[in-house]
């Protein structure tokens, strides 16, 4: 292990600025680390090493010429395999897109390029971001760096594991129902789902468009904030991206923390007792800093899982209709006519979970069932949103567990999809409501697996959410811990 492997992006940025390390040396150190541990972790689906090193050389040339672009110039950022980078594969960990190479950049990637960051690697994920364990990838199962028999979480399990194992300081994930926060929690890192509409979805392969956001993952809140500030922007290609310039969150981290009212929603507790305890301890710490802690209730949270799985599958059934074997996707060699191409290509190209969701989503949208399921779910979504609005009239921030349990053994839930879905109970509410939410480490359970603390804020209060998380992080040492990977 090279000493730079576990340095945060902010430290790397200073080392680059002081010319104590070059961007090439830094990128090479990450590639060496990947070579050493990724055979065991399997976070990356592929890496274009020559391209990564060429980008690093370009960053070094800018620095030598005095034209450095920003604080992330020369810092590596690895990318979840559902975010388009021009000239790179974008398979969504699906056989359907196994040979697809993106012809364009997602807006978040264009933004990163403008920052000078070195964009490298394709990170494993659940197929089309559907899952909570990265076991639904068509290509590899990613292991949790804290215990390689356990899952890293999902769907951004490759992103979380890569960051936790020191293979990259920064990664992008996407969060439709918790896919940034839950794997961040399972792997002991920081992951942030921004307010809906602050980050462009253009070039992020759509699963459930009304729920998802691309977001940053890193080993510190400050790094997550710095990366978010690069990602967030208006976007003329995404009609759901909010107009207007974004207020940078990074400068807000060092603003003096004001005493705030923090709500603990009772419906989020009652899972693993070690998690409840760690989160309540975090609440007590905020109280010791002058915050007022209130127990609050969000009574419709028990409907969040069915509501999410109706809306998400309905949107997925529509979004995934484009993968038909006719255009750029897998085409069955056994097909004879057009209908046969659709059926056989989709049958061969999609994995079991994706098919389950397309079927479920088609069902809830079908005439006769639309009112009973889809429309009802939309009404409950509004109800949940209004309960959060009411809660936020009284409190500034909501504090809760990220997950009801820590990382579970591989294979532990694959036979029972419902059991897998129920684990999303603490994360889906922020997607149904569009609210910003961060997960950061707040302890470890008896078997040494990381525990995540979730902070949920008001819409567009991203800076305050990250500032509150940063205050907790700097007063504790949970984020600095490094897993030992036996190779
Ligand atoms: N686990 C959730 C699901 O399977 C969330 C996925 C996500 O956020 N992409 O739908």
């Amino acid at each position: 292990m090279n000493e730079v492997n576990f340095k945060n992006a902010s430290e790397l940025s200073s080392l680059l600025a002081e010319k104590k390390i070059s961007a090439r040396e830094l990128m090479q150190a990450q590639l060496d680390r990947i070579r050493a541990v990724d055979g065991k972790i399997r976070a990356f689906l592929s890496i274009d090493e020559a391209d990564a090193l060429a980008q690093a050389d370009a960053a070094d040339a800018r620095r030598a010429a005095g034209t450095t672009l920003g604080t992330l110039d020369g810092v590596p950022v690895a990318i979840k395999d559902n975010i388009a980078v021009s000239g790179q594969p974008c398979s969504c960990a699906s056989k359907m897109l196994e040979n697809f190479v993106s012809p364009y950049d997602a807006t978040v990637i264009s933004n990163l390029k403008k920052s000078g960051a070195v964009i490298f690697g394709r990170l494993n994920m659940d197929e089309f971001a559907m899952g909570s364990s990265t076991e639904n990838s068509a290509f590899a199962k990613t292991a949790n760096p804290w215990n390689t028999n356990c899952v890293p979480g999902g769907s951004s399990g490759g992103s979380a594991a890569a960051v936790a194992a020191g293979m990259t300081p920064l990664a992008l994930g996407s969060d439709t129902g918790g896919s940034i926060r839950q794997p961040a929690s399972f792997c002991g890192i920081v992951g942030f789902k921004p307010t809906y509409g602050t980050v462009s979805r253009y070039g992020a392969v759509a699963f459930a468009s009304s729920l998802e956001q691309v977001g940053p993952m890193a080993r510190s809140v400050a790094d997550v904030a710095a990366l978010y500030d690069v990602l967030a922007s208006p976007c003329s290609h995404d009609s759901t991206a909010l107009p207007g310039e974004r207020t940078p969150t990074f400068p807000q981290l060092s603003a003096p923390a004001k005493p705030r009212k923090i709500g603990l929603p009772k419906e989020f507790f009652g899972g693993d007792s070690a998690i409840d305890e760690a989160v309540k301890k975090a609440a007590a710490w905020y109280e010791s800093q002058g915050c007022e802690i209130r127990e609050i209730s969000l009574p419709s949270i028990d409907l969040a899982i069915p509501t999410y799985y109706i809306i998400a599958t309905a949107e997925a059934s529509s979004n995934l209709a484009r993968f038909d074997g006719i255009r750029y996707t897998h085409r069955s060699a056994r097909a004879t006519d057009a209908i046969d191409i659709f059926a056989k290509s989709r049958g061969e190209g999609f994995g079991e979970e994706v098919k389950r969701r397309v079927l479920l989503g088609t069902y809830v949208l079908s005439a006769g069932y639309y009112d009973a399921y889809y429309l009802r779910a939309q009404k409950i979504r509004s109800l949940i949103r209004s309960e959060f609005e009411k809660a936020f009239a009284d409190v500034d921030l909501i504090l809760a567990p990220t997950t009801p349990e820590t990382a579970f053994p591989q294979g532990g839930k694959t036979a029972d999809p419902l059991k897998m879905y129920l684990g999303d109970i603490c994360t889906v509410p922020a997607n149904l409501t569009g609210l910003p939410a961060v997960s950061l480490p707040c302890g470890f359970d008896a078997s040494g697996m990381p525990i995540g603390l979730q902070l949920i804020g008001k819409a567009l209060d991203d800076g305050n959410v990250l500032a509150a998380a940063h205050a907790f992080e700097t007063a504790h040492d949970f984020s600095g811990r490094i897993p030992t990977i036996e190779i």
Side-chain angles (χ1 to χ4, degrees), residues 369-384:
Y369 294 104
Y370 180 92
D371 288 357
Y373 294 107
Y374 184 72
L375 203 60
R376 174 94 42 105
Q378 291 294 9
K379 286 180 181 164
I380 297 169
R381 183 179 189 175
S382 300
L383 187 67
I384 292 173

Side-chain angles (χ1 to χ4, degrees), residues 80 126 128-132 136 154-156 174-180 182 207 212 308-309 312 353 357 420-421 424 427-428 431:
K80 185 175 180 179
D126 285 300
F128 286 105
M130 298 176 188
S132 313
N136 294 335
S155 63
S156 312
S174 65
D175 192 312
T176 310
S179 280
I180 288 176
Q182 184 256 23
F207 156 20
E212 61 210 5
Y308 168 82
Y309 276 93
E353 182 61 27
R357 295 199 190 195
M420 191 76 94
Y421 297 171
D424 298 334
T427 48
V428 296
N431 302 85

Side-chain angles (χ1 to χ4, degrees), residues 60 138 148 212 245 253 294 296 304-305 312 336 362 385 393 453:
D60 286 331
T148 49
E212 61 210 5
E245 287 311 312
L253 301 186
R294 289 193 187 171
I296 60 168
I305 290 286
T336 47
T362 308
R385 195 179 283 139
L453 168 69

Side-chain angles (χ1 to χ4, degrees), residues 188-251:
I189 64 155
V190 185
F192 180 50
K193 184 204 82 78
T195 299
Y196 187 81
T198 59
V199 176
S200 165
R201 290 183 298 104
Y202 176 70
V205 178
F207 156 20
S209 314
S210 78
L211 298 161
E212 61 210 5
Q213 283 285 280
V214 171
M217 302 172 81
R219 291 186 295 268
S220 79
V221 177
D223 283 3
V224 155
L227 183 52
Y228 168 73
D229 288 345
V230 171
L231 303 179
S233 72
C235 175
S236 57
H237 300 300
D238 175 1
S239 62
T240 63
L242 297 165
E245 287 311 312
R246 311 297 189 244
T247 313
T249 60
F250 188 81

Side-chain angles (χ1 to χ4, degrees), residues 41 126 132-136 141-154 157-158 160-161 182-183 185-187 405-414 420 449-450:
I41 303 296
D126 285 300
S132 313
S133 66
T134 311
E135 291 166 298
N136 294 335
K141 295 210 192 319
T142 301
N144 189 312
W146 292 90
N147 177 348
T148 49
N149 296 319
C150 289
V151 300
Q182 184 256 23
S185 168
F186 278 15
C187 292
E405 60 180 349
T406 54
F408 47 86
Q410 283 181 333
K413 295 189 185 182
T414 34
M420 191 76 94
M449 298 309 279

Side-chain angles (χ1 to χ4, degrees), residues 62-379:
R62 283 192 295 274
R63 201 166 296 276
T67 54
T68 297
L69 295 167
T71 55
L72 291 187
D73 200 330
V75 178
V77 184
I79 311 295
K80 185 175 180 179
D81 200 33
N82 62 349
I83 300 168
V85 177
S86 180
Q88 297 297 329
C90 185
S91 77
C92 297
S94 177
K95 284 204 181 89
M96 195 54 127
L97 289 170
E98 189 167 5
N99 300 313
F100 178 69
V101 172
S102 175
Y104 72 105
D105 282 330
T107 297
V108 286
I109 298 298
S110 308
N111 292 352
L112 274 175
K113 286 187 173 170
K114 284 184 219 142
S115 80
V118 175
I119 297 153
F120 83 104
R122 306 299 306 171
L123 291 161
N124 198 21
M125 54 185 282
D126 285 300
E127 184 178 5
F128 286 105
M130 298 176 188
S132 313
S133 66
T134 311
E135 291 166 298
N136 294 335
S137 166
F139 306 123
K141 295 210 192 319
T142 301
N144 189 312
W146 292 90
N147 177 348
T148 49
N149 296 319
C150 289
V151 300
S155 63
S156 312
S159 308
V163 171
M167 294 189 265
T168 181
L170 300 172
L172 297 194
S174 65
D175 192 312
T176 310
S179 280
I180 288 176
R181 291 160 287 152
Q182 184 256 23
S185 168
F186 278 15
C187 292
I189 64 155
V190 185
F192 180 50
K193 184 204 82 78
T195 299
Y196 187 81
T198 59
V199 176
S200 165
R201 290 183 298 104
Y202 176 70
V205 178
F207 156 20
S209 314
S210 78
L211 298 161
E212 61 210 5
Q213 283 285 280
V214 171
M217 302 172 81
R219 291 186 295 268
S220 79
V221 177
D223 283 3
V224 155
L227 183 52
Y228 168 73
D229 288 345
V230 171
L231 303 179
S233 72
C235 175
S236 57
H237 300 300
D238 175 1
S239 62
T240 63
L242 297 165
E245 287 311 312
R246 311 297 189 244
T247 313
T249 60
F250 188 81
Q252 298 178 53
L253 301 186
S254 45
K258 317 166 226 134
R260 340 162 126 264
K261 284 187 242 158
I262 296 181
L264 293 188
K266 59 176 191 213
E267 292 81 5
F268 281 64
F269 292 83
D272 186 333
S273 59
I275 295 179
D276 282 6
E277 219 171 276
V279 171
K280 287 192 174 146
K281 229 167 144 183
W285 178 83
Y286 281 104
E287 198 168 21
S288 76
Q289 301 302 298
C291 300
E292 185 188 327
I293 306 291
R294 289 193 187 171
E295 185 177 281
I296 60 168
S297 176
L298 298 158
S300 301
I301 287 301
D302 61 337
L303 299 172
I305 290 286
T307 303
Y308 168 82
Y309 276 93
I310 288 170
I311 293 171
T313 56
E315 293 186 23
S317 72
S318 165
N319 274 326
L320 269 58
R322 73 194 67 172
F323 304 116
D324 54 9
I326 300 290
R327 287 166 286 191
Y328 38 78
T329 53
H330 166 78
R331 179 180 296 185
S332 172
R334 299 179 298 128
T336 47
D337 57 27
I339 298 295
D340 212 33
I341 290 177
F342 298 151
K344 291 209 171 81
S345 304
R346 286 165 71 80
E348 293 168 9
F350 288 144
E352 286 309 303
E353 182 61 27
V354 173
K355 284 184 208 163
R356 181 179 298 120
R357 295 199 190 195
V358 169
L359 286 173
L360 191 60
T362 308
Y363 178 80
V364 299
L365 287 175
S366 58
Y369 294 104
Y370 180 92
D371 288 357
Y373 294 107
Y374 184 72
L375 203 60
R376 174 94 42 105
Q378 291 294 9
K379 286 180 181 164

